[in-house]
Amino acid sequence: MSHIKISKDWEISGNLATPESVFMSRRKFLQGTALTAVATTALLTGCTSPPHDPEVALSETEKKIYPAKRNENFQLDRPVTSEQIAASYNNFYEFTQVKEDVIVHAQALPKRPWTVEVSGLVRHPKIFDVDDLLRTMPIQERLYRHRCVEAWAMAVPWTGFPLKALLKQVEPTYKATYVRMTTFYKPFTAQGQLAFWEPWPYMEGLTVQEAMNDLAFMAVGIYGHPLPKQHGAPLRLAVPWKYGFKSIKSVVKIELIDYRPATFWNTLQGLEYDFTANVNPKIPHPRWSQAKEKMIGTGEIRPTLPFNGYGKQVAKLYA
Ligand code: MTE
Protein backbone atom coordinates (compact mmCIF):
# COMPACT_ATOMS: atom_id res chain seq x y z
CA MET A 1 0.00 0.00 0.00
CA SER A 2 1.43 3.35 -0.86
CA HIS A 3 1.02 6.54 1.08
CA ILE A 4 -1.21 8.99 -0.77
CA LYS A 5 -0.87 12.57 0.30
CA ILE A 6 -2.80 15.50 -1.11
CA SER A 7 -0.81 18.64 -0.46
CA LYS A 8 -2.50 21.80 0.69
CA ASP A 9 -1.53 24.83 -1.38
CA TRP A 10 0.44 26.37 1.51
CA GLU A 11 2.45 23.26 2.15
CA ILE A 12 6.18 22.99 1.82
CA SER A 13 7.79 19.67 0.96
CA GLY A 14 8.09 17.66 4.16
CA ASN A 15 11.61 16.48 3.38
CA LEU A 16 13.11 19.92 2.87
CA ALA A 17 14.80 20.04 6.24
CA THR A 18 16.16 16.53 6.09
CA PRO A 19 19.55 15.70 4.65
CA GLU A 20 18.72 13.74 1.49
CA SER A 21 20.65 10.60 2.42
CA VAL A 22 19.08 10.48 5.85
CA PHE A 23 15.64 11.12 4.39
CA MET A 24 15.93 8.31 1.85
CA SER A 25 17.07 5.73 4.38
CA ARG A 26 14.30 6.77 6.75
CA ARG A 27 11.69 6.38 3.99
CA LYS A 28 12.82 2.84 3.32
CA PHE A 29 12.59 2.13 7.00
CA LEU A 30 9.10 3.57 7.28
CA GLN A 31 7.88 1.71 4.20
CA GLY A 32 9.05 -1.49 5.83
CA THR A 33 6.93 -0.92 8.88
CA ALA A 34 3.90 0.31 6.91
CA LEU A 35 3.51 3.03 9.50
CA THR A 36 2.46 5.71 7.08
CA ALA A 37 -0.32 3.56 5.61
CA VAL A 38 -1.78 2.99 9.06
CA ALA A 39 -1.62 6.67 9.82
CA THR A 40 -3.34 7.60 6.57
CA THR A 41 -6.15 5.18 7.29
CA ALA A 42 -6.56 6.62 10.75
CA LEU A 43 -6.75 10.13 9.35
CA LEU A 44 -9.26 9.20 6.67
CA THR A 45 -11.49 7.42 9.14
CA GLY A 46 -11.22 10.24 11.62
CA CYS A 47 -9.51 8.11 14.30
CA THR A 48 -7.49 11.01 15.62
CA SER A 49 -7.76 13.10 18.73
CA PRO A 50 -8.85 16.66 18.11
CA PRO A 51 -6.30 19.25 19.27
CA HIS A 52 -8.12 19.54 22.56
CA ASP A 53 -10.80 17.07 23.48
CA PRO A 54 -13.27 18.75 25.86
CA GLU A 55 -14.15 15.24 27.09
CA VAL A 56 -10.65 14.94 28.53
CA ALA A 57 -11.13 16.53 31.93
CA LEU A 58 -8.56 18.93 33.23
CA SER A 59 -6.84 17.93 36.47
CA GLU A 60 -7.49 20.07 39.56
CA THR A 61 -4.10 21.72 39.04
CA GLU A 62 -4.83 22.42 35.37
CA LYS A 63 -8.26 23.87 36.19
CA LYS A 64 -6.49 26.49 38.30
CA ILE A 65 -4.18 27.69 35.53
CA TYR A 66 -6.32 27.60 32.35
CA PRO A 67 -6.99 29.96 30.78
CA ALA A 68 -3.88 31.78 32.02
CA LYS A 69 -3.65 35.55 32.09
CA ARG A 70 -2.06 36.90 28.92
CA ASN A 71 1.20 38.82 29.30
CA GLU A 72 0.48 41.84 27.07
CA ASN A 73 4.18 42.59 26.56
CA PHE A 74 4.17 40.02 23.76
CA GLN A 75 2.17 41.22 20.75
CA LEU A 76 1.82 39.83 17.24
CA ASP A 77 2.05 41.60 13.89
CA ARG A 78 -0.17 38.99 12.19
CA PRO A 79 -3.30 36.93 12.88
CA VAL A 80 -3.12 33.95 15.23
CA THR A 81 -2.88 30.67 13.28
CA SER A 82 -5.94 28.40 13.31
CA GLU A 83 -5.70 25.91 16.16
CA GLN A 84 -6.74 23.02 13.92
CA ILE A 85 -4.02 23.83 11.40
CA ALA A 86 -1.26 24.24 14.03
CA ALA A 87 -2.30 20.95 15.66
CA SER A 88 -2.24 18.89 12.47
CA TYR A 89 0.93 20.12 10.74
CA ASN A 90 3.76 19.19 13.10
CA ASN A 91 7.41 18.26 13.20
CA PHE A 92 8.09 15.51 15.74
CA TYR A 93 10.62 13.16 14.15
CA GLU A 94 10.41 10.75 17.08
CA PHE A 95 7.04 9.67 15.66
CA THR A 96 7.15 10.25 11.90
CA GLN A 97 8.53 12.60 9.27
CA VAL A 98 5.06 13.08 7.79
CA LYS A 99 3.76 16.29 9.34
CA GLU A 100 0.08 15.40 8.93
CA ASP A 101 0.57 12.03 10.64
CA VAL A 102 2.27 13.27 13.81
CA ILE A 103 -1.14 13.92 15.38
CA VAL A 104 -1.94 10.19 15.05
CA HIS A 105 1.34 8.63 16.19
CA ALA A 106 2.08 11.05 19.02
CA GLN A 107 -1.04 9.88 20.87
CA ALA A 108 1.05 6.90 22.05
CA LEU A 109 3.09 9.17 24.32
CA PRO A 110 2.05 8.96 28.00
CA LYS A 111 1.89 12.49 29.49
CA ARG A 112 1.90 11.43 33.18
CA PRO A 113 3.75 10.68 35.33
CA TRP A 114 6.34 13.14 33.94
CA THR A 115 9.40 14.55 35.61
CA VAL A 116 12.10 16.96 34.50
CA GLU A 117 15.59 16.59 35.92
CA VAL A 118 17.45 19.89 36.26
CA SER A 119 21.07 19.15 37.10
CA GLY A 120 24.73 19.64 36.23
CA LEU A 121 26.58 22.79 37.29
CA VAL A 122 23.91 23.97 39.74
CA ARG A 123 23.80 24.38 43.53
CA HIS A 124 20.48 22.57 44.03
CA PRO A 125 19.92 19.81 41.43
CA LYS A 126 16.36 18.57 41.52
CA ILE A 127 13.88 16.31 39.76
CA PHE A 128 10.67 18.30 39.29
CA ASP A 129 7.29 16.71 38.83
CA VAL A 130 5.58 18.57 35.97
CA ASP A 131 2.44 19.16 38.07
CA ASP A 132 4.57 20.83 40.76
CA LEU A 133 5.90 23.15 38.06
CA LEU A 134 2.32 24.01 37.08
CA ARG A 135 1.61 24.88 40.72
CA THR A 136 4.76 26.88 41.45
CA MET A 137 5.95 28.61 38.27
CA PRO A 138 4.71 32.06 37.12
CA ILE A 139 2.24 30.68 34.54
CA GLN A 140 1.14 33.10 31.83
CA GLU A 141 0.03 33.22 28.20
CA ARG A 142 2.23 34.72 25.49
CA LEU A 143 1.55 35.27 21.80
CA TYR A 144 4.67 34.21 19.89
CA ARG A 145 5.64 33.90 16.26
CA HIS A 146 7.28 30.59 15.27
CA ARG A 147 9.53 30.31 12.20
CA CYS A 148 10.54 26.83 11.02
CA VAL A 149 13.85 26.49 9.17
CA GLU A 150 11.77 24.98 6.33
CA ALA A 151 10.29 28.48 5.68
CA TRP A 152 6.82 27.94 7.11
CA ALA A 153 5.62 29.99 10.05
CA MET A 154 2.78 30.24 12.54
CA ALA A 155 1.66 32.54 15.36
CA VAL A 156 0.28 30.88 18.50
CA PRO A 157 -0.69 31.59 22.11
CA TRP A 158 1.53 29.48 24.38
CA THR A 159 0.82 29.00 28.08
CA GLY A 160 3.91 28.46 30.20
CA PHE A 161 6.62 30.13 32.24
CA PRO A 162 10.00 31.79 31.57
CA LEU A 163 12.83 29.24 31.54
CA LYS A 164 14.83 31.55 33.82
CA ALA A 165 12.24 31.08 36.59
CA LEU A 166 13.03 27.35 36.63
CA LEU A 167 16.81 27.85 36.36
CA LYS A 168 16.78 30.27 39.29
CA GLN A 169 15.34 27.51 41.47
CA VAL A 170 18.45 25.36 40.99
CA GLU A 171 20.97 28.23 41.00
CA PRO A 172 23.45 27.64 38.16
CA THR A 173 27.08 28.04 39.31
CA TYR A 174 29.40 30.58 37.66
CA LYS A 175 31.01 27.69 35.71
CA ALA A 176 27.83 26.97 33.71
CA THR A 177 28.01 28.39 30.19
CA TYR A 178 25.47 26.27 28.26
CA VAL A 179 22.11 24.61 28.85
CA ARG A 180 21.43 21.23 27.24
CA MET A 181 17.86 19.93 26.96
CA THR A 182 16.88 16.35 26.18
CA THR A 183 13.65 14.78 24.92
CA PHE A 184 12.41 11.37 26.17
CA TYR A 185 13.92 8.20 24.70
CA LYS A 186 11.23 5.54 24.15
CA PRO A 187 11.95 3.78 20.86
CA PHE A 188 9.08 1.32 21.26
CA THR A 189 6.58 4.16 21.71
CA ALA A 190 8.18 6.61 19.29
CA GLN A 191 9.28 4.44 16.41
CA GLY A 192 11.30 7.13 14.69
CA GLN A 193 13.81 6.52 17.47
CA LEU A 194 14.41 3.01 16.13
CA ALA A 195 16.47 4.68 13.41
CA PHE A 196 19.80 3.81 15.01
CA TRP A 197 21.72 5.98 12.51
CA GLU A 198 20.19 9.14 13.96
CA PRO A 199 21.50 10.69 17.20
CA TRP A 200 18.55 9.97 19.53
CA PRO A 201 17.40 11.21 21.94
CA TYR A 202 16.72 14.66 20.46
CA MET A 203 18.85 17.27 22.21
CA GLU A 204 19.05 21.01 21.92
CA GLY A 205 21.09 23.70 23.58
CA LEU A 206 21.32 27.38 24.41
CA THR A 207 23.96 29.53 26.02
CA VAL A 208 23.16 30.40 29.63
CA GLN A 209 22.64 34.03 28.55
CA GLU A 210 20.07 32.93 25.96
CA ALA A 211 18.33 30.66 28.47
CA MET A 212 18.15 33.50 30.99
CA ASN A 213 16.64 35.90 28.42
CA ASP A 214 13.01 36.61 29.23
CA LEU A 215 11.86 35.39 25.80
CA ALA A 216 13.02 31.79 26.43
CA PHE A 217 9.78 30.14 27.48
CA MET A 218 8.79 26.66 28.68
CA ALA A 219 5.34 25.98 27.19
CA VAL A 220 2.94 23.65 28.98
CA GLY A 221 -0.14 24.73 27.03
CA ILE A 222 -1.36 26.23 23.78
CA TYR A 223 -4.64 27.97 22.79
CA GLY A 224 -5.69 28.13 26.43
CA HIS A 225 -5.40 24.42 27.34
CA PRO A 226 -2.69 21.83 28.03
CA LEU A 227 -0.34 21.01 25.15
CA PRO A 228 -1.65 18.27 22.87
CA LYS A 229 0.91 15.50 22.47
CA GLN A 230 1.84 16.44 18.91
CA HIS A 231 3.00 19.88 20.12
CA GLY A 232 5.41 18.30 22.64
CA ALA A 233 3.39 17.56 25.78
CA PRO A 234 3.70 17.95 28.64
CA LEU A 235 6.32 20.68 28.28
CA ARG A 236 8.50 22.04 25.49
CA LEU A 237 10.73 24.99 24.84
CA ALA A 238 9.69 28.05 22.79
CA VAL A 239 12.60 30.26 21.65
CA PRO A 240 10.87 32.37 18.98
CA TRP A 241 13.96 34.26 17.71
CA LYS A 242 15.53 30.97 16.61
CA TYR A 243 14.52 28.48 13.92
CA GLY A 244 11.85 26.09 15.16
CA PHE A 245 14.14 23.07 15.56
CA LYS A 246 15.68 24.74 18.63
CA SER A 247 12.27 24.61 20.38
CA ILE A 248 12.68 21.08 21.71
CA LYS A 249 9.56 19.09 22.63
CA SER A 250 8.64 16.79 25.54
CA VAL A 251 11.66 17.70 27.66
CA VAL A 252 12.84 15.28 30.37
CA LYS A 253 16.22 16.74 31.28
CA ILE A 254 17.82 20.19 31.51
CA GLU A 255 21.55 20.24 32.27
CA LEU A 256 23.84 23.14 32.99
CA ILE A 257 27.24 22.43 31.45
CA ASP A 258 30.49 24.20 30.59
CA TYR A 259 30.83 23.20 26.91
CA ARG A 260 28.73 23.60 23.77
CA PRO A 261 26.56 20.48 23.59
CA ALA A 262 26.07 18.26 20.56
CA THR A 263 22.51 18.71 19.27
CA PHE A 264 20.27 16.57 17.04
CA TRP A 265 20.18 18.54 13.77
CA ASN A 266 23.65 20.00 14.11
CA THR A 267 25.07 16.48 14.52
CA LEU A 268 23.09 15.12 11.55
CA GLN A 269 23.94 17.97 9.18
CA GLY A 270 26.07 20.70 10.71
CA LEU A 271 26.52 22.62 7.45
CA GLU A 272 22.75 23.12 7.15
CA TYR A 273 21.73 23.55 10.81
CA ASP A 274 24.07 25.61 12.94
CA PHE A 275 24.02 25.52 16.71
CA THR A 276 22.91 29.12 17.20
CA ALA A 277 20.21 29.05 14.49
CA ASN A 278 18.97 32.61 14.91
CA VAL A 279 16.35 33.51 12.29
CA ASN A 280 18.18 35.52 9.63
CA PRO A 281 16.57 36.35 6.27
CA LYS A 282 19.95 37.34 4.82
CA ILE A 283 21.62 33.94 5.27
CA PRO A 284 20.02 31.38 2.95
CA HIS A 285 19.84 27.73 3.90
CA PRO A 286 22.19 25.89 1.48
CA ARG A 287 19.13 24.53 -0.35
CA TRP A 288 16.60 27.41 -0.18
CA SER A 289 16.19 31.10 0.61
CA GLN A 290 15.24 32.27 4.11
CA ALA A 291 14.09 35.72 2.89
CA LYS A 292 10.38 34.87 3.08
CA GLU A 293 8.03 32.61 4.99
CA LYS A 294 4.63 31.07 4.37
CA MET A 295 2.01 31.22 7.12
CA ILE A 296 0.48 27.76 7.56
CA GLY A 297 -3.26 27.70 6.95
CA THR A 298 -3.62 31.00 5.11
CA GLY A 299 -0.64 30.59 2.78
CA GLU A 300 0.19 34.27 3.24
CA ILE A 301 3.79 35.03 2.22
CA ARG A 302 5.57 37.46 4.54
CA PRO A 303 9.12 38.81 4.58
CA THR A 304 11.15 37.05 7.28
CA LEU A 305 12.38 39.43 9.96
CA PRO A 306 15.85 39.33 11.56
CA PHE A 307 15.59 37.40 14.85
CA ASN A 308 12.00 36.68 13.71
CA GLY A 309 11.10 40.20 14.83
CA TYR A 310 12.54 39.84 18.36
CA GLY A 311 15.74 41.84 17.79
CA LYS A 312 14.84 44.40 20.46
CA GLN A 313 14.85 41.67 23.11
CA VAL A 314 17.78 39.53 21.94
CA ALA A 315 20.12 41.33 19.46
CA LYS A 316 22.23 42.51 22.42
CA LEU A 317 23.14 38.88 23.16
CA TYR A 318 25.08 38.75 19.91
CA ALA A 319 26.60 42.26 19.82
N1 MTE B 1 11.45 18.43 19.26
C1 MTE B 1 11.62 17.12 19.18
N2 MTE B 1 11.86 16.42 20.30
N3 MTE B 1 11.55 16.45 18.00
C2 MTE B 1 11.33 17.13 16.82
O1 MTE B 1 11.29 16.49 15.75
N4 MTE B 1 10.97 19.29 15.74
C3 MTE B 1 11.32 20.73 15.83
C4 MTE B 1 10.73 21.35 17.09
N5 MTE B 1 10.97 20.50 18.24
C5 MTE B 1 11.17 18.54 16.87
C6 MTE B 1 11.20 19.16 18.14
C7 MTE B 1 10.89 21.50 14.68
S1 MTE B 1 11.80 21.27 13.25
C8 MTE B 1 9.87 22.40 14.73
S2 MTE B 1 9.55 23.44 13.42
C9 MTE B 1 8.99 22.50 15.91
O2 MTE B 1 9.33 21.54 16.92
C10 MTE B 1 7.56 22.27 15.47
O3 MTE B 1 6.68 22.49 16.54
P1 MTE B 1 5.11 22.20 16.35
O4 MTE B 1 4.97 20.86 15.71
O5 MTE B 1 4.52 22.27 17.72
O6 MTE B 1 4.62 23.29 15.44
Side-chain angles (χ1 to χ4, degrees):
M1 238 188 304
S2 65
H3 173 68
I4 301 160
K5 178 172 165 285
I6 301 155
S7 292
K8 298 171 188 87
D9 60 358
W10 46 263
E11 267 178 10
I12 294 136
S13 163
N15 63 347
L16 274 182
T18 312
E20 227 147 358
S21 56
V22 175
F23 182 76
M24 292 319 288
S25 47
R26 280 297 305 274
R27 296 267 6 138
K28 261 190 205 148
F29 174 75
L30 286 175
Q31 276 160 12
T33 59
L35 256 182
T36 42
V38 173
T40 308
T41 313
L43 276 174
L44 292 175
T45 54
C47 296
T48 62
S49 298
H52 176 65
D53 186 347
E55 305 273 303
V56 178
L58 296 182
S59 69
E60 288 307 311
T61 309
E62 287 168 339
K63 273 186 204 156
K64 285 190 190 132
I65 67 169
Y66 294 103
K69 191 169 182 308
R70 182 171 292 176
N71 182 335
E72 299 293 344
N73 293 335
F74 302 92
Q75 300 289 345
L76 292 177
D77 57 349
R78 59 195 74 181
V80 169
T81 300
S82 135
E83 179 177 0
Q84 289 287 342
I85 296 286
S88 51
Y89 190 77
N90 302 97
N91 275 333
F92 207 163
Y93 275 60
E94 282 82 344
F95 293 100
T96 168
Q97 296 185 2
V98 182
K99 290 174 173 52
E100 297 81 357
D101 294 357
V102 172
I103 187 172
V104 178
H105 294 291
Q107 302 314 316
L109 180 69
K111 292 206 276 187
R112 296 291 191 285
W114 195 280
T115 57
V116 186
E117 176 186 321
V118 190
S119 57
L121 301 171
V122 300
R123 284 202 184 83
H124 311 291
K126 190 171 166 181
I127 296 174
F128 294 87
D129 185 277
V130 73
D131 290 309
D132 287 336
L133 292 177
L134 298 187
R135 280 188 281 270
T136 56
M137 288 288 120
I139 302 286
Q140 54 194 268
E141 184 176 78
R142 292 184 180 186
L143 294 168
Y144 272 3
R145 292 180 287 273
H146 174 100
R147 170 58 157 83
C148 179
V149 72
E150 297 163 325
W152 58 266
M154 62 180 185
V156 299
W158 299 112
T159 302
F161 55 88
L163 172 58
K164 68 178 174 191
L166 176 57
L167 295 181
K168 280 182 183 160
Q169 296 255 319
V170 297
E171 286 187 44
T173 70
Y174 73 92
K175 284 188 183 151
T177 48
Y178 286 90
V179 177
R180 169 170 58 204
M181 296 198 186
T182 308
T183 297
F184 64 83
Y185 182 63
K186 291 174 186 282
F188 296 103
T189 305
Q191 299 200 8
Q193 293 184 328
L194 290 173
F196 55 84
W197 54 91
E198 291 171 356
W200 302 110
Y202 198 103
M203 287 186 191
E204 258 310 332
L206 300 170
T207 65
V208 166
Q209 284 79 11
E210 289 172 332
M212 287 295 192
N213 187 276
D214 189 42
L215 263 187
F217 199 59
M218 293 306 294
V220 295
I222 191 169
Y223 296 99
H225 52 70
L227 278 181
K229 296 176 181 184
Q230 64 272 22
H231 278 303
L235 89 165
R236 56 92 57 85
L237 180 68
V239 276
W241 73 99
K242 292 179 176 286
Y243 288 119
F245 65 87
K246 299 293 290 182
S247 290
I248 180 173
K249 296 178 167 183
S250 305
V251 172
V252 295
K253 202 196 271 184
I254 301 175
E255 293 162 287
L256 282 290
I257 54 182
D258 59 1
Y259 54 92
R260 201 182 90 172
T263 56
F264 184 83
W265 282 107
N266 187 251
T267 303
L268 266 179
Q269 187 50 284
L271 294 176
E272 300 199 347
Y273 309 103
D274 72 312
F275 176 84
T276 305
N278 290 332
V279 174
N280 188 342
K282 291 211 178 111
I283 301 184
H285 182 278
R287 290 183 278 133
W288 59 86
S289 161
Q290 295 292 25
K292 292 188 178 137
E293 63 204 40
K294 202 182 224 186
M295 298 305 296
I296 57 170
T298 63
E300 185 196 357
I301 305 287
R302 303 185 62 103
T304 288
L305 304 169
F307 298 109
N308 200 20
Y310 295 101
K312 223 168 144 188
Q313 291 94 325
V314 297
K316 56 182 180 281
L317 294 173
Y318 313 99

